[in-house]
Amino acid sequence: MTDRFLEGKTALVTGSTQGIGLAIATALGEAGCRVAVHGLGDAGIVKKATDTVVDAGASDVRHFDANFMDPDAIEVMMRQVADWGDIDILVNNAGIQKTTPLEDADTGTWNSILAVNLSAAFHTMRLAMPSMKERGYGRVVNIASVHGLVASRDKAPYVASKYGLVGLSRTAALEYADAGNRQSGGVTVNCICPGWTETELIEPQVQARTQQLGGGREAGVADLLREKQPSLRMSDPSEIGALAVWLCHRHAHNLTGTAIPIDGGWTAQ
């Protein structure tokens, strides 16, 4: 039986209508959380996501659709979620990516990637963390990337956003390190840095490799993994979700300011 140690807690997971975000929202629901699901998309995608989290055992689920290009919309959403329930757990997962050489990247690409991947996390954290400090318990889990730890070609805006997210997280961890205590659980801020994970975000890169090789999708995936990820295995989103939930335990009160790779050895090289 699942340990429902998060009964009575409220979590906001951004970018959670699919992929890693939905896996994290589902795992938090299994642990008993009330879950605020966030994301843009058609009604069918939203209903499927919220139904998945409800079926996992979440005590309550609501959907929010703030556009993360707009700081004012983020502020409105944060007030709405707080009115529903004080945010105990904040997972910043919303992200976008575009691969392009630096010389071909334009201002629009830079601004949009930085807005969604980095600035939005700044806004949600600054609005959610003071009340976490007041209650003596809070968890911020920011989904960065191996590209918050090492760079790759043709991803300048994305890499910059993820390095920035790691830096933002470490600074917030220091500022809130003495909040709460062992009994209350404290306030922690950590990053999870996935390598290649089975999500729609990496599909364009898989397809590009497939076309280069002239083979099937499996050949494209294998070539992608061989270049960077020594395990030669993709991660499953549920594995990211399991780590995010573990970080929410009270016994993780002294684990803060970290950037934990789930990358099959990519950043160990």
Side-chain angles (χ1 to χ4, degrees), residues 58-141:
S59 57
D60 197 2
V61 179
R62 289 195 187 180
H63 171 252
F64 299 85
D65 63 356
N67 182 343
F68 274 17
M69 301 280 190
D70 181 357
D72 291 336
I74 295 171
E75 292 213 22
V76 170
M77 179 193 72
M78 295 300 287
R79 287 197 298 270
Q80 291 172 337
V81 177
D83 288 342
W84 181 50
D86 288 325
I87 299 170
D88 303 292
I89 298 160
L90 170 63
V91 181
N92 283 302
N93 172 74
I96 57 176
Q97 181 181 165
K98 181 178 180 180
T99 56
T100 183
L102 181 61
E103 64 186 37
D104 295 331
D106 57 27
T107 301
T109 297
W110 174 266
N111 289 343
S112 60
I113 290 176
L114 268 289
V116 175
N117 295 8
L118 180 57
S119 295
F122 162 75
H123 292 300
T124 59
M125 289 167 66
R126 71 178 178 84
L127 293 167
M129 293 190 72
S131 65
M132 292 179 181
K133 182 176 182 178
E134 289 177 5
R135 296 191 303 278
Y137 173 87
R139 294 292 184 267
V140 178
V141 181

Side-chain angles (χ1 to χ4, degrees), residues 183-203:
Q183 286 69 41
S184 69
V187 178
T188 69
V189 186
N190 293 287
C191 287
I192 298 176
C193 299
W196 296 126
T197 307
E198 284 278 10
T199 68
E200 292 185 6
L201 189 66
I202 69 163
E203 195 58 30

